Amino acid sequence: MVQAPQKEEATQNKFEKFKSEKDGLAVREELEYFANIGWEAMDKTDLEHRLKWVGIFYRPVTPGKFMMRMRLPNGILTSEQMQTLGEVVQRYGEDGNGDITTRQNLQLRGVRIEDVPDIFRRLKAVGLTSVQSGMDNVRNITGSPVAGLDGDELIDTRELVQKTQDMITNSGEGNLEFTNLPRKFNIAIEGGRDNSVHAEINDIAYVPAYKDGELGFNVLVGGFFSAKRCEAAIPLNVWVSANDDVVEMSRAILEVYRDHGLRANRQKSRLMWLIDEWGVEKFRAAVERQFGRPLATAALKDEIDWEKRDHIGVFKQKQPGLNFVGLHVPIGRLYAQDMFDIARIAEVYGSSEIRLTVEQNIIIPNIPDENLEAFLSEPILEKFSISPQPLERALISCTGAQFCNFALIETKNRALNLIHELDQQLEMTQYVRIHWTGCPNSCGQPQVADIGLMGTKVRKDGKTVEGVDLYMGGKVGKDAHLGTCVQKGIACDDLVPVLTQILIEQFGAKPKS
Ligand code: SRM
Ligand code: SF4
């Protein structure tokens, strides 16, 4: 097991302490025992923290009904896998659902601890894992959702994303080399021209770039959001070939972070804090030593030169006669029947493949021209539309108060109701990306949005009510940069007039007559 550096032992916070007492991954061997004794009898640290090492999240908001966070590299899964996940949540009736996350991933809800061993056996049988998806581990690795389909793509990222995940998780079996990082860690590998993964908000991002005529990646490091600080990733001044060097580079950076990252204060433990302390040149030198070979300096420019696409609608693939269709999933929420329907249409009309996007939507690829008409007349497309209302189309939301105990406000349901009202009242000439996040942790990424809404509490008429801080100016795609807070403390009840005014004055909306 990898231990935190000795020098910081004296200042171990409670997370470092329980990690050094017992690795989080150890609970993998105790799942049958937990299932037998029930969650109420479990050790509190195992229940509330260590279970996250196997992707099981205790929810204080819904005690006994756990959340399970999957790993879906590059956001890709099969009909069979979706069917299995649907069966898992179906068992929990009204408590069960699946949410598409802002990392191209799925989280299941309602899961009971007594069912976990059986669920894990079923996941394994269809090649799925939820290992190392929470706490101080590497999160789901994102890649272009149209990798291998897009005629304009530069690098097909699918294999690189899968290999990187396999290195980190020992092909889904769990890997003690990387289960005690100082903090969470995000990796994204972009192969297209439109920065579909939000490279700038990842601890490591690979963006396509030519060096001496060869296509590879420039490496960015240190991007992150936290309640205390948000930073865009910065260049490491490294270029790597589009081959296993990506996996080795990720390994080298993770090892440096694991062995030298700051652990005393969890508010200052993300990778960027180490880069700040060392300076990027010292950090680069340490990564180069760990990599074991001289590193090439970054290419002068990268190939991100498009505006970001949302992939909703029907698109020709690079393979003649095939199409991918992007379906809009309102606030990313799926119920068991939706999951079965999606699995079925992917199997009947496509190649049994399903993809997820960081916009919390679904893409069904490989639909032959002759199947398109029948596909588009499937009833599920009334719910998951290829031409949603303009404001709803670009709506993103984190989990919020319904399930998350960090939340200061309800997000998903409120976001949807409010956007329906605005869509009814306003004629839009452009899409406006509105992101909701229930607290300053920023899981809903308000800093990348045209309009970002971050949950807070505000005083109104002598009472404390749910409100938001307003973020604006987030730019995605080419020349991406983070938006900033422009107004604090707007009561949620006042949001319709406030957003109406912003949409009219700054985004060309017109009131419907
Ligand atoms: Fe997040 C913690 C949900 C993407 C920053 N995030 C949490 C927890 C686990 C807190 C908890 O235990 O309740 C939330 C689980 C709630 C639930 O029941 O669903 C949670 N985060 C989410 C998801 C589901 C939001 C969504 O609705 O899509 C996303 C899951 C992604 C995945 O599949 O793994 C999610 N979280 C993000 C992102 C966005 C991203 O990665 O692009 C961020 C900002 C980027 C970053 O991490 O740098 C993010 N989540 C956080 C943080 C702040 C991290 C920090 O350094 O301080 C926390 C709190 C923490 O880790 O202490 C957090
Ligand atoms: Fe929960 Fe806050 Fe993350 Fe939303 S932003 S999922 S409320 S931790």
Side-chain angles (χ1 to χ4, degrees):
M1 186 179 98
V2 181
Q3 298 286 349
Q6 294 294 311
K7 68 179 167 84
E8 289 198 89
E9 242 166 43
T11 51
Q12 266 190 341
N13 63 53
K14 78 164 185 180
F15 292 86
E16 287 304 316
K17 194 161 181 299
F18 78 67
K19 286 192 296 176
S20 56
E21 283 162 10
K22 170 179 165 186
D23 191 281
L25 196 60
V27 297
R28 195 179 33 170
E29 315 307 328
E30 296 171 276
L31 295 173
E32 295 280 357
Y33 170 67
F34 297 153
N36 284 334
I37 61 170
W39 67 272
E40 293 98 329
M42 280 178 65
D43 170 81
K44 203 165 159 1
T45 310
D46 287 344
L47 175 72
E48 293 178 359
H49 300 296
R50 292 197 188 95
L51 273 181
K52 294 180 183 169
W53 266 259
V54 290
I56 306 285
F57 290 60
Y58 173 71
R59 303 289 73 199
V61 181
T62 58
K65 298 165 194 168
F66 292 76
M67 181 267 278
M68 177 182 279
R69 180 183 282 168
M70 305 306 303
R71 297 194 77 93
L72 300 173
N74 216 124
I76 301 178
L77 71 168
T78 64
S79 289
E80 186 190 31
Q81 291 172 332
M82 185 65 105
Q83 173 77 24
T84 304
L85 297 177
E87 286 163 11
V88 169
V89 298
Q90 184 185 37
R91 183 184 166 105
Y92 304 116
E94 287 191 353
D95 293 336
N97 65 48
D99 282 338
I100 306 173
T101 76
T102 50
R103 293 200 70 80
Q104 257 185 336
N105 195 10
L106 275 171
Q107 291 189 167
L108 311 184
R109 296 200 187 272
V111 173
R112 308 299 146 94
I113 198 76
E114 52 272 29
D115 299 334
V116 166
D118 181 51
I119 293 174
F120 275 17
R121 278 189 284 276
R122 293 166 64 191
L123 296 186
K124 194 164 183 191
V126 295
L128 282 172
T129 181
S130 60
V131 78
Q132 290 165 242
S133 59
M135 283 298 289
D136 298 349
N137 287 289
V138 181
R139 297 290 183 272
N140 196 45
I141 302 172
T142 55
S144 165
V146 289
L149 313 173
D150 177 9
D152 294 297
E153 90 178 337
L154 297 158
I155 303 168
D156 180 349
T157 54
R158 289 173 296 176
E159 196 183 336
L160 292 175
V161 172
Q162 182 70 55
K163 281 185 168 175
T164 307
Q165 165 163 312
D166 287 347
M167 177 272 290
I168 291 163
T169 66
N170 180 25
S171 301
E173 294 297 312
N175 182 359
L176 291 170
E177 285 293 308
F178 297 117
T179 50
N180 186 359
L181 300 175
R183 204 63 165 84
K184 69 182 290 196
F185 199 91
N186 292 326
I187 302 179
I189 308 180
E190 175 63 60
R193 298 173 182 274
D194 70 339
N195 187 13
S196 62
V197 294
H198 300 306
E200 68 284 3
I201 65 171
N202 283 268
D203 296 273
I204 310 178
Y206 296 90
V207 291
Y210 283 98
K211 174 114 188 174
D212 303 330
E214 184 190 340
L215 191 51
F217 298 99
N218 276 346
V219 183
L220 307 178
V221 284
F224 80 113
F225 296 159
S226 73
K228 192 176 166 72
R229 178 180 174 198
C230 295
E231 291 292 344
I234 58 169
L236 182 61
N237 190 19
V238 168
W239 177 93
V240 287
S241 298
N243 56 26
D244 285 358
D245 283 0
V246 169
V247 184
E248 289 315 308
M249 176 77 321
S250 305
R251 183 202 297 277
I253 294 175
L254 279 169
E255 285 171 349
V256 170
Y257 176 56
R258 178 195 67 197
D259 297 342
H260 302 280
L262 312 180
R263 290 173 183 258
N265 176 355
R266 280 182 75 77
Q267 300 302 322
K268 297 188 174 179
S269 294
R270 296 289 295 271
L271 179 64
M272 186 60 107
W273 293 97
L274 175 66
I275 298 172
D276 281 351
E277 185 160 299
W278 277 7
V280 74
E281 274 162 31
K282 177 174 169 186
F283 179 72
R284 186 187 188 280
V287 170
E288 188 167 52
R289 269 195 304 281
Q290 207 69 29
F291 189 71
R293 280 179 280 143
L295 289 169
T297 55
L300 287 181
K301 68 179 214 28
D302 65 42
E303 299 300 317
I304 302 295
D305 51 6
W306 284 16
E307 293 308 318
K308 194 169 191 307
R309 300 164 290 176
D310 68 5
H311 305 298
I312 292 173
V314 180
F315 302 88
K316 290 272 168 227
Q317 288 181 203
K318 68 177 173 192
Q319 298 83 2
L322 292 182
N323 307 272
F324 67 86
V325 180
L327 309 181
H328 176 255
V329 181
I331 45 119
R333 179 143 299 168
L334 301 169
Y335 293 93
Q337 190 55 50
D338 300 330
M339 296 162 88
F340 298 146
D341 287 339
I342 294 293
R344 181 182 56 77
I345 60 172
E347 190 179 326
V348 172
Y349 302 101
S351 59
S352 295
E353 186 174 306
I354 299 159
R355 299 192 180 197
L356 309 177
T357 72
V358 297
E359 283 81 26
Q360 302 174 319
N361 293 318
I362 285 177
I363 294 172
I364 309 287
N366 303 322
I367 304 177
D369 291 339
E370 59 274 21
N371 284 357
L372 252 187
E373 200 184 327
F375 175 88
L376 295 175
S377 59
E378 278 282 343
I380 187 72
L381 269 71
E382 283 163 31
K383 182 170 185 187
F384 301 143
S385 172
I386 61 163
S387 52
Q389 291 292 305
L391 287 173
E392 189 179 353
R393 178 177 183 128
L395 182 68
I396 310 265
S397 175
C398 83
T399 305
Q402 192 181 0
F403 298 110
C404 179
N405 59 305
F406 286 122
L408 298 169
I409 64 167
E410 163 55 25
T411 51
K412 280 195 189 275
N413 299 308
R414 171 179 275 133
L416 208 49
N417 291 335
L418 188 133
I419 221 72
H420 286 159
E421 207 173 319
L422 292 173
D423 263 324
Q424 267 170 13
Q425 290 176 12
L426 296 172
E427 200 76 63
M428 297 302 302
T429 51
Q430 58 175 289
Y431 303 136
V432 182
R433 295 173 307 99
I434 302 182
H435 286 226
W436 283 75
T437 207
C439 78
N441 283 329
S442 297
C443 305
Q445 312 153 325
Q447 303 83 348
V448 306
D450 294 316
I451 300 176
L453 303 166
M454 180 187 287
T456 185
K457 296 286 186 206
V458 301
R459 294 288 291 172
K460 189 180 174 191
D461 303 331
K463 288 195 203 115
T464 301
V465 296
E466 298 197 348
V468 293
D469 292 341
L470 174 67
Y471 281 70
M472 290 192 67
K475 166 86 178 66
V476 293
K478 179 177 157 55
D479 302 326
H481 59 251
L482 303 183
T484 51
C485 183
V486 295
Q487 194 179 339
K488 280 188 167 282
I490 306 165
C492 289
D493 287 349
D494 298 335
L495 267 177
V496 171
V498 171
L499 292 180
T500 302
Q501 192 184 354
I502 292 173
L503 290 166
I504 291 173
E505 288 175 3
Q506 301 190 40
F507 296 95
K510 296 211 166 38
K512 284 185 180 162
S513 52

